[in-house]
Amino acid sequence: MAIFAANFKCNLTRGQTQTYLTELDSYASKNHIKDDIFVFPNQTALLPNTYACVRVGAQNAYCAENGGFTGEIGAQQLKEFGIDSIIIGHSERRTIFGESQAFVAQKFAYFAKAGFTIIYCIGEDLGVRQSGGVEKFLREEFVGIDTQYENLIVAYEPIWAIGTGVSAKLEDIAQTHEFLRGFLDSALLYGGSVNETNAGEILRVPNVDGVLVGSASLEISRFCKIIESL
Ligand code: PGA
């Protein structure tokens, strides 16, 4: 079975998320898919991670139990919901919110110590891809990261393919995932404009173990079609 992760980002309300999760969990139950579907709702829509089949995770959190970190949520707040999975290193956190590699690594270490399943995101921008420096760039995104961590899932998401409607070419995905497989034993997801039309061919690329989906996950019917495209 492949891994299907839905990243809602700053979309959907708590009510909408609740309806979505109830429907998705019953869909997963009927189809006997357990623990391979993750949903990462917005912070205000965090719901208890108590669904039978679908795992609810955090898009982001600060690397502390609690404290003076205005605007952040910490491990204490995640624990209340039984959350045990988190996205770290997403390019939107790195670029829009200025998270450095050192900070990302600090968060990684904190949540790894707490035993979380970590979806660790990496990916180059268009300039790096065009200059041919992809492998060197991606290597640097592992500085300070324990690549042997047992609950690690890596998501390769080229920045130029995120939210643009244009996913990476299959040969680029194949080449990059082969490179990553050279030093990673973890599951490898692809993300960046995955939708119900291209998911099947992307999931058949060697070394692609699943997908991380943004825009196309916001409608449950589209996300279910992506799951069915395997
Ligand atoms: P997208 O987002 O599917 O809208 O491109 C993917 C992501 O950022 O995780």
Side-chain angles (χ1 to χ4, degrees), residues 5-9 87 90-92 121 155 157-159 161-166 190-195 212-218:
N7 176 9
F8 287 176
K9 307 188 181 183
I87 298 176
H90 192 282
S91 63
E92 286 158 8
C121 300
E157 300 201 299
I159 295 173
I162 294 179
T164 59
V166 184
Y190 168 79
S193 295
V194 173
N195 57 42
L212 177 54
V213 189
S215 338
S217 72
L218 297 178

Side-chain angles (χ1 to χ4, degrees), residues 23-153:
E23 277 179 35
L24 184 64
D25 196 55
S26 97
Y27 168 87
S29 269
K30 270 186 219 132
N31 291 284
H32 312 287
I33 309 170
K34 193 163 159 47
D35 295 334
D36 289 320
I37 301 177
F38 291 82
V39 172
F40 296 92
N42 185 260
Q43 278 182 22
T44 68
L46 268 190
L47 290 159
N49 181 31
T50 48
Y51 291 86
C53 298
V54 174
R55 287 176 70 177
V56 181
Q59 292 176 18
N60 179 46
Y62 192 67
C63 41
E65 179 72 12
N66 51 33
F69 309 107
T70 301
E72 293 289 329
I73 56 173
Q76 182 185 41
Q77 286 78 35
L78 297 183
K79 253 182 236 157
E80 184 183 20
F81 291 90
I83 303 284
D84 58 4
S85 57
I86 185 166
I87 298 176
I88 294 179
H90 192 282
S91 63
E92 286 158 8
R93 298 296 318 170
R94 294 180 192 260
T95 58
I96 303 171
F97 301 103
E99 293 192 2
S100 65
Q101 183 59 31
F103 182 58
V104 165
Q106 192 186 338
K107 277 192 182 180
F108 187 101
Y110 182 88
F111 286 101
K113 193 162 176 236
F116 274 58
T117 295
I118 298 176
I119 299 199
Y120 182 65
C121 300
I122 53 163
E124 80 287 355
D125 63 20
L126 195 55
V128 171
R129 168 120 330 238
Q130 285 169 342
S131 70
V134 175
E135 296 187 358
K136 180 173 178 289
F137 182 90
L138 295 182
R139 270 283 188 190
E140 282 165 9
E141 291 198 316
F142 285 99
V143 171
I145 301 298
D146 175 8
T147 54
Q148 300 302 310
Y149 176 53
E150 57 177 344
N151 298 321
L152 170 64
I153 297 171

